[in-house]
Amino acid sequence: MTQINIGGQATQTIGTLPAVGNRAPSFTLTDKDLNDFDSARFAGHKLVLNIFPSVDTATCSMSVRNFNKVAEEYDDVTVLCVSKDLPFATARFCGAEGIDGVVTGSAFRSSFGEDYGVTITTGPMRGLLSRCVVVIGSDGLVKYTQQVPEVHDEPDYAAARAAIEALG
């Protein structure tokens, strides 16, 4: 388990993020049309996972906006925004905001949160995903992770960009 904070209150996740250098766990998520897709879709590609609790919060929506900019900067990198939001919510948000550089995936009916160790297990946000970033190389190995210690804080975009740059 990893201890994080929600508004300064200690809470925990179900596990820990995959270790840098390890193979990224496979996953299945649901797209805006309620179709399931899996990690094989991204095999051989550079992938950034922007993981967050809900696009309906200010910090989460800001991370989607900022990672959309990141996605537009790199032609050879896919940014996948993952939450337990229903696919309709992320589609509505991205449509209203003109966000089209990222891929969205809902973990509402998958084991993604458990497989990546990011499901919050205690406190008022129990069952949602914690705020994290995972950068995966085209070889399928984890190259960078950040578990944001305070859920209300944004991820370190500069560190994520540096990890993307290091992929070559």
Side-chain angles (χ1 to χ4, degrees):
M1 288 190 262
T2 300
Q3 181 175 315
I4 59 172
N5 292 303
I6 300 174
Q9 297 285 31
T11 190
Q12 296 182 28
T13 64
I14 198 163
T16 58
L17 286 169
V20 170
N22 285 357
R23 182 150 304 282
S26 60
F27 57 80
T28 299
L29 297 168
T30 304
D31 70 16
K32 65 183 173 77
D33 297 318
L34 297 178
N35 297 309
D36 290 343
F37 65 92
D38 61 33
S39 50
R41 173 179 173 181
F42 307 102
H45 298 273
K46 301 169 189 172
L47 181 64
V48 176
L49 302 178
N50 171 34
I51 306 165
F52 54 90
S54 175
V55 75
D56 286 325
T57 66
T59 306
C60 297
S61 60
M62 185 60 67
S63 76
V64 173
R65 287 184 198 100
N66 283 324
F67 274 109
N68 187 61
K69 292 175 187 171
V70 170
E72 291 171 348
E73 292 172 20
Y74 299 94
D75 293 334
D76 61 343
V77 175
T78 300
V79 175
L80 176 58
C81 295
V82 182
S83 71
K84 284 220 175 168
D85 286 315
L86 291 177
F88 315 117
T90 53
R92 179 192 71 240
F93 172 79
C94 290
E97 295 282 328
I99 292 173
D100 58 7
V102 300
V103 176
T104 59
S106 175
F108 84 105
R109 62 180 176 206
S110 80
S111 62
F112 178 91
E114 291 74 20
D115 298 340
Y116 274 77
V118 298
T119 299
I120 299 170
T121 59
T122 60
M125 294 178 77
R126 181 179 69 245
L128 296 178
L129 306 180
S130 62
R131 185 174 320 286
C132 305
V133 176
V134 178
V135 176
I136 302 168
S138 56
D139 58 3
L141 300 180
V142 175
K143 305 298 185 178
Y144 168 83
T145 64
Q146 180 195 17
Q147 170 69 69
V148 179
E150 169 57 62
V151 171
H152 296 304
D153 291 343
E154 290 186 67
D156 185 341
Y157 302 111
R161 277 190 172 90
I164 293 166
E165 293 287 334
L167 295 175

